[in-house]
Each structure stands twice: as structure tokens, then as C-alpha cells.
Amino acid sequence: MQISAACSFLFLIQWWVDRGLVARKKGSFPDNQTFLVLACTLSLILCSLLSTTLFGIVYLNLGMIPAYIGILYGTVRSGILLSIFFLVCNIIIAEPTGISNMILNSGILLYPLLFGLAKPFKKGTVVEKIGMLWMVLCPNMLFIALVPIIGGKNIYEAHSSESLLITLYLFCTIALGGVFVYFVEMVWSSWRAKVHMESISDNFQWESEKLQQITNVVPLSIISLDDHGVVTDLNDCMLGMARIHYPNLRREDIIGKPVREFFNGSADADAYMRVRNNIQHKRRSHERMIHGTRIYQIYSAPLMHKNSGLTSGVVLIAQDITDEVKLRSELDHVERLSLVGQMAAGITHEIRNPMAVVRGFLQLMREKSSDDLDSYYQIVLEELDRANSIINDFLSLAQSRISDKEKVLLHRVIEEVSPLLWADANLRGQSVELKLNASIHELELNVREIKQLILNLGRNGMEAMGSKGILTLETHSTQDKVELIVRDRGIGMSESQREKLFSPFFTTKREGTGLGLSLCLSIVERHNGKITVDSVEGEGTVFTISFPLVKEEYSEAILAD
Ligand code: ADP
Ligand code: MG
């Protein structure tokens, strides 16, 4: 019974650890040390209540084991309280009575040693701790064994059953002390290992969450597969990409499925086979693959265990390069076109000289020929002029140097060209309407080019209208730009026409050159502006050209406001 009472504190500690009540944070009550001291106190009370004497002379109370363990593990304060408590228990319950007996039984003389050992005890190893406990327990047990001799009763006769039992009691107590310390150490160390494992697993979880978040942020589509090509994980970007081909797809629909199911729609069977081979052979590779209308660059790399060097699964990174491929082919096209354009510009320029000679001689011949040939000469000369104007348009289109600009009011330019527009409109029975905003800001313009722009747009508008049509020129001014709007109420244009509108040589007119709008676009671009078209078939067309105000004009405009 004494043994069970003495080891009851061990059960309490085990229960405390198993229930997970262990104090993990500093400052929580009761902390592990306090709980141990409380458990020891409880054991001590139980032992004292059950204490008795062997043969009426040797005091039998194993309470000193939990008491000493409590003092050694606890703080100085809890140690003092525990030792006082142990003394009180001894005084109340101790048998046999008498001051000297009590002093010897309680081991009070050993307390200075006990408190002296408490500090090194906490830092010692298990064996050192057991040794330190024994340093106090052994003399204490000797004192207890001496009590009957001091009392004048020598019960230690050779081979007597009493002396054997008492010796057994002494050794058992000392051995139990060692076992208890060992047990306490085991419980604490298993708890520490558990806490350590938990913190490692928490760290691991956080690291993997962090990695997941990072892979979701990067603008790359990443998917990982196991050795059998089954999807194990994918990032948000990859999910978004998969949804282009399979709308309403959820993450759960992909994870755990063989990746080949998602390549089935691929028209590019060869590329798919190559990617599959690379996955199977765990090779690093990159392949271009066409899936539906999109083009992807797929990088694959095996995942390796760092220590063993064994591969386990593959990671695939897919990049949508559709726009890049399109841009590259357009760039090639533009490069080829610009080369052809440069050559054409050179040739056209050279054509102008012989044409001027031809025109001069034709005029001479016209003067010297009879009048009935005059109409023919007229036609030839007009056609030559038309060819010349096409060449002029073409050359201005090819011109890309920074044009000479000056600070002018757009209204001034419009007023200068309006007589020409009026003359043209009068011939067609149409009219021109000007809606000019009074407070418009000055712009850096190349007057010659802007005149050409207004004339081209105005003429196109007039050509699109029948007689009585009204061509409207409007200006608007906002804080950061000035807008010129050319509006007609003509035939309008279809969607397909609108797409090709600014392509050189696109025309729907029998005598058109198809260069007018290309020229307008290049003029607007040279002024860093924008040109937009709104058109409704049968109702009319609106061209809006916006010129940005440069910084200094912009701040002046704000001040003026
Ligand atoms: P061109 O006037 O020599 O045909 P443009 O480049 O000026 O060449 O115009 C290209 C084509 O765009 C025209 O043939 C016409 O079909 C269409 N277009 C341009 N402006 C208008 C407009 N205001 N209304 C309807 N169609 C237009
Ligand atoms: Mg035109």
C-alpha cells in the first residue's frame, strides 16, 4: 500500500501528460513544475496516512520519496513549503514519537543538502539525478534504521527475519526512488519529443501552405503528377488555364485523374506523345503543343528525392504562348512589309521624274495639236495627275520622320481648309457644318498634315453621302486632350469593312486609291493621337481623332479651368 501511495504521483503526471493538459506557454497555471509538486504532496499525504511501523520500531513511510523528488524538481519556494508540509505530517502522524525519532525519521538534517542539490539536479542527466536523490535518500534510510538502536532496542541480530525485512525495506525504498526519478524523466522526455514533433509538423504544414500560396501567385501554370501520370496537385493559374478548354472544371475533378484525359482534345498528337514520353522517362524537356485554338509551351521536369537521388513524379509547367506566337508572326510580316514599303517608296520617287517629263511634253504636244485631240490630252493629263497624287499619298504614308510642328489652334487649321471643303461640298450639292468649341487649347501640330487629314476625312464623308448631305466638323476639349470629330450621314460601313479600313489600298470605290485613311492613321500617330470610328450602316459614320495635350499644355489647361 505504501508503494502504491508513493507512486500515485506518477499516475497523476502520466494522466496530466496524456490529457494534453501540459503547460505549453509560460505563465499558465498550474505549470508543469507546480503540478509535479502538487502531485508529490498528494502522494506524501497518502503515504503519511498509511504510515506504520515495522515491528513497532522502524518507521514505515515512503512519503519521503515523493517529498524529496518534489523538492528537487520544484522551485526553492515550493520546496520549502513541501518540506514544512512533510514535517507537519511527521509530527502529526509519526510513530514512534519523540523529538529525536522525528528528526531522524523526517531526515530534517539532510534538508540543507537537499536544497543544495536542487539546482544541479535540474541540469543533470537521468543517472546524475538518480545519484543525487540517492545522496539524500541513503543517509535518511540509515537514520531510520538507526532509530531503534538509539531507542536501545537492537533488533538487528544476525539472520533474524526482522533484520532481513528491515534491510529489504531500506533497499526497496532506495531502488524505488531511482525508479521514480527515471519514470518522471521518461514521461517528461516523451512529452518533449511529442511537442517537438508537433512543432515540426506545424512548421512543415506552414511551409507547404506557403509554397502553395507562392505557386498560386506566380503567373505560371504548374501541375504535379505522380509516377503513373496521375495529377497530385495544381495551382490556380493552371486551373484557370484548364477552364479555358473545360469550363466549370473544379480542382477536385482534376486531382487524382490521369493527366492524359486533359490532353485528349489536343489536335497535336505528336506533341502529346512526346510530352507523354518525357513524363514516362522523367526527362527534362520543353515541347510546343496546340490545344484547341491555343498554343502552349510545356516544360516537364522530374521531381527528385535529394538524398536518395530517386525520382518521384513530375512537374509540368505550361505557358500560353498564343499571343507571343501571333505577335512574332505579325512582326515578321511587318518587317517584310516595311522592307517592301521602303523599296516601293524608292521606286515611286524615281517614277515621278520621268512622269514630270512626260507631262511636260504632253502639254507641249497638246498646244501644238489640233483642237479635236484636246479631250484626249485632257484625259491623259488627268490620269497622269491622278497617278501623281497616288504617288504623293503613298510617299507621305511611307514618311515616318518627325514632322515639323508648331503651336497652333486647331480651329485655325479647320478655318483654312473649310473653303476647300465647301467648294467640294457645293459641287455635290452638300453642305458643311462647323461646331467649334470656343475654349480650345493650342496644340503642337504639323499644319500641312492636319489639313490633309481633315480633307481626306471630309472627302470620304462627302463621298459616302448623297446630295443634300451634311458634313459636320466638331471640336471638343477636355482636361487632357482635344478631339476633332468628322461626322457624316452617309451609307456607313459594315463590320468587315471597318476591320480593313486602315489597311493600305483597301477601297470600295471604283476610282479610290485606298491610301487616304492609311495616311490619316500615320498622321495621327505622328501626333501621338488616336483615331476611332463609329459607323452604322445606312445612318452614317463618325471619325474621332483625339490629340493629347503635352504636359505643359495640360497644366495650362488645368490652370485655365
Ligand atoms: P479611298 O477613299 O481612296 O477609297 P480611303 O482609305 O480614304 O480610300 O477609304 C477606304 C475605304 O473606307 C473607302 O473605300 C470606303 O469604303 C471606306 N470609308 C472611308 N470613310 C468612309 C465613310 N465616311 N463612310 C463610309 N465608308 C467610308
Ligand atoms: Mg479617301
Side-chain angles (χ1 to χ4, degrees):
M1 281 177 83
Q2 273 293 323
I3 294 174
S4 348
C7 67
S8 61
F9 80 100
L10 296 177
F11 292 109
L12 275 173
I13 293 170
Q14 188 64 56
W15 168 82
W16 169 256
V17 170
D18 287 347
R19 289 289 309 272
L21 298 169
V22 182
R24 294 176 185 208
K25 279 180 267 163
K26 276 193 175 164
S28 52
F29 182 83
D31 60 36
N32 302 335
Q33 213 175 26
T34 317
F35 184 79
L36 178 68
V37 175
L38 287 175
C40 289
T41 316
L42 200 81
S43 273
L44 162 65
I45 297 171
L46 280 176
C47 286
S48 300
L49 287 175
L50 296 169
S51 69
T52 174
T53 48
L54 273 175
F55 316 113
I57 32 176
V58 174
Y59 185 45
L60 182 65
N61 182 358
L62 290 183
M64 86 275 278
I65 308 178
Y68 292 175
I69 289 178
I71 292 168
L72 287 170
Y73 274 105
T75 57
V76 179
R77 211 171 59 176
S78 64
I80 292 171
L81 286 175
L82 195 60
S83 53
I84 294 171
F85 190 73
F86 185 44
L87 266 176
V88 172
C89 285
N90 266 298
I91 294 164
I92 299 170
I93 313 166
E95 284 178 67
T97 46
I99 291 276
S100 58
N101 285 355
M102 224 175 57
I103 289 173
L104 291 174
N105 284 339
S106 63
I108 196 165
L109 298 173
L110 295 163
Y111 283 7
L113 176 65
L114 198 59
F115 281 99
L117 285 173
K119 210 173 167 190
F121 180 87
K122 287 180 191 83
K123 291 179 193 156
T125 60
V126 185
V127 179
E128 284 165 355
K129 281 179 180 172
I130 295 173
M132 285 183 228
L133 178 74
W134 280 350
M135 277 165 74
V136 195
L137 208 53
C138 291
N140 190 202
M141 290 320 286
L142 267 177
F143 289 162
I144 292 172
L146 284 176
V147 171
I149 297 170
I150 294 167
K153 292 177 195 162
N154 192 359
I155 52 161
Y156 302 111
E157 284 159 18
H159 308 301
S160 72
S161 57
E162 287 93 341
S163 61
L164 251 168
L165 248 170
I166 290 166
T167 320
L168 194 69
Y169 163 55
L170 297 185
F171 281 107
C172 273
T173 312
I174 292 168
L176 272 180
V179 172
F180 286 3
V181 169
Y182 181 77
F183 188 83
V184 171
E185 283 303 304
M186 287 305 108
V187 171
W188 285 146
S189 75
S190 82
W191 170 72
R192 264 185 241 115
K194 197 172 146 196
V195 169
H196 188 58
M197 279 302 294
E198 275 173 13
S199 89
I200 289 176
S201 109
D202 281 353
N203 274 348
F204 176 76
Q205 205 164 343
W206 164 233
E207 286 297 328
S208 76
E209 267 171 32
K210 213 162 61 177
L211 197 69
Q212 182 75 39
Q213 283 177 25
I214 292 169
T215 50
N216 281 339
V217 170
V218 287
L220 284 175
S221 305
I222 306 172
I223 190 166
S224 61
L225 316 174
D226 68 5
D227 283 337
H228 310 289
V230 173
V231 179
T232 52
D233 205 358
L234 74 161
N235 69 347
D236 287 353
C237 194
M238 181 56 110
L239 188 64
M241 190 184 266
R243 278 184 184 151
I244 297 177
H245 304 283
Y246 310 97
N248 307 326
L249 198 71
R250 289 166 311 156
R251 191 178 286 270
E252 308 86 82
D253 302 332
I254 305 178
I255 292 177
K257 293 260 171 66
V259 76
R260 96 179 95 80
E261 286 186 16
F262 303 98
F263 283 128
N264 277 348
S266 169
D268 206 345
D270 279 357
Y272 169 60
M273 288 307 286
R274 282 198 302 274
V275 171
R276 211 179 70 169
N277 260 340
N278 291 328
I279 294 173
Q280 271 170 359
H281 293 102
K282 292 172 183 159
R283 276 196 295 256
R284 254 171 192 263
S285 66
H286 50 94
E287 291 290 343
R288 186 174 284 198
M289 184 186 265
I290 300 167
H291 195 297
T293 55
R294 318 289 305 172
I295 307 166
Y296 297 106
Q297 185 78 21
I298 302 202
Y299 301 88
S300 66
L303 295 171
M304 274 203 229
H305 282 290
K306 207 175 168 190
N307 294 335
S308 62
L310 292 173
T311 53
S312 144
V314 200
V315 63
L316 293 186
I317 298 173
Q319 201 183 351
D320 189 342
I321 52 166
T322 318
D323 293 340
E324 197 187 311
V325 169
K326 214 190 259 173
L327 195 73
R328 193 165 292 172
S329 86
E330 265 169 25
L331 263 180
D332 286 351
H333 189 64
V334 166
E335 257 169 46
R336 233 172 293 141
L337 216 86
S338 99
L339 185 71
V340 173
Q342 278 169 14
M343 283 167 65
I347 295 165
T348 359
H349 186 76
E350 289 308 312
I351 290 173
R352 269 208 304 201
N353 296 339
M355 267 176 49
V357 177
V358 170
R359 198 179 192 283
F361 277 104
L362 265 177
Q363 235 159 354
L364 260 178
M365 282 162 71
R366 184 186 182 182
E367 280 161 21
K368 292 191 177 164
S369 303
S370 56
D371 283 352
D372 50 334
L373 288 175
D374 206 47
S375 60
Y376 297 123
Y377 278 113
Q378 179 67 25
I379 292 170
V380 176
L381 282 172
E382 269 176 18
E383 286 304 303
L384 262 181
D385 284 344
R386 205 164 83 83
N388 209 28
S389 88
I390 292 175
I391 288 170
N392 280 343
D393 275 358
F394 181 77
L395 286 177
S396 351
L397 181 68
Q399 175 191 44
S400 62
R401 66 186 165 78
I402 298 165
S403 43
D404 309 320
K405 291 180 189 164
E406 54 185 296
K407 227 174 183 185
V408 281
L409 265 178
L410 184 61
H411 291 176
R412 212 196 82 201
V413 188
I414 295 173
E415 273 152 19
E416 278 179 25
V417 287
S418 60
L420 287 175
L421 285 174
W422 266 112
D424 210 344
N426 279 338
L427 280 177
R428 298 169 202 265
Q430 299 169 337
S431 56
V432 181
E433 187 185 27
L434 299 183
K435 288 185 182 171
L436 306 182
N437 189 316
S439 61
I440 199 169
H441 217 266
E442 280 188 330
L443 290 166
E444 285 275 345
L445 300 175
N446 179 314
V447 176
R448 196 179 63 83
E449 286 188 339
I450 299 298
K451 276 184 187 168
Q452 185 151 25
L453 170 84
I454 298 171
L455 277 177
N456 279 358
L457 293 176
R459 193 159 293 154
N460 273 352
M462 287 188 236
E463 281 167 357
M465 294 190 289
S467 60
K468 300 218 172 85
I470 304 169
L471 179 81
T472 315
L473 293 188
E474 275 176 51
T475 54
H476 285 290
S477 183
T478 62
Q479 265 199 353
D480 55 349
K481 61 180 188 244
V482 171
E483 278 180 346
L484 166 68
I485 296 164
V486 181
R487 192 191 303 272
D488 68 64
R489 291 160 205 176
I491 50 170
M493 53 186 119
S494 65
E495 180 69 41
S496 64
Q497 251 177 303
R498 234 185 359 250
E499 278 169 19
K500 291 177 259 169
L501 206 57
F502 294 99
S503 312
F505 306 110
F506 167 72
T507 179
T508 52
K509 297 168 196 164
R510 205 164 53 85
E511 297 213 322
T513 61
L515 289 171
L517 284 180
S518 309
L519 185 58
C520 289
L521 180 67
S522 75
I523 291 172
V524 172
E525 279 176 354
R526 277 200 288 278
H527 286 81
N528 303 321
K530 274 196 194 113
I531 181 162
T532 53
V533 195
D534 273 318
S535 184
V536 180
E537 261 182 302
E539 285 187 22
T541 307
V542 183
F543 280 90
T544 308
I545 301 104
S546 55
F547 298 100
L549 287 178
V550 286
K551 249 189 201 143
E552 138 199 6
E553 291 161 353
Y554 180 51
S555 52
E556 278 175 33
I558 292 172
L559 280 178
D561 281 353

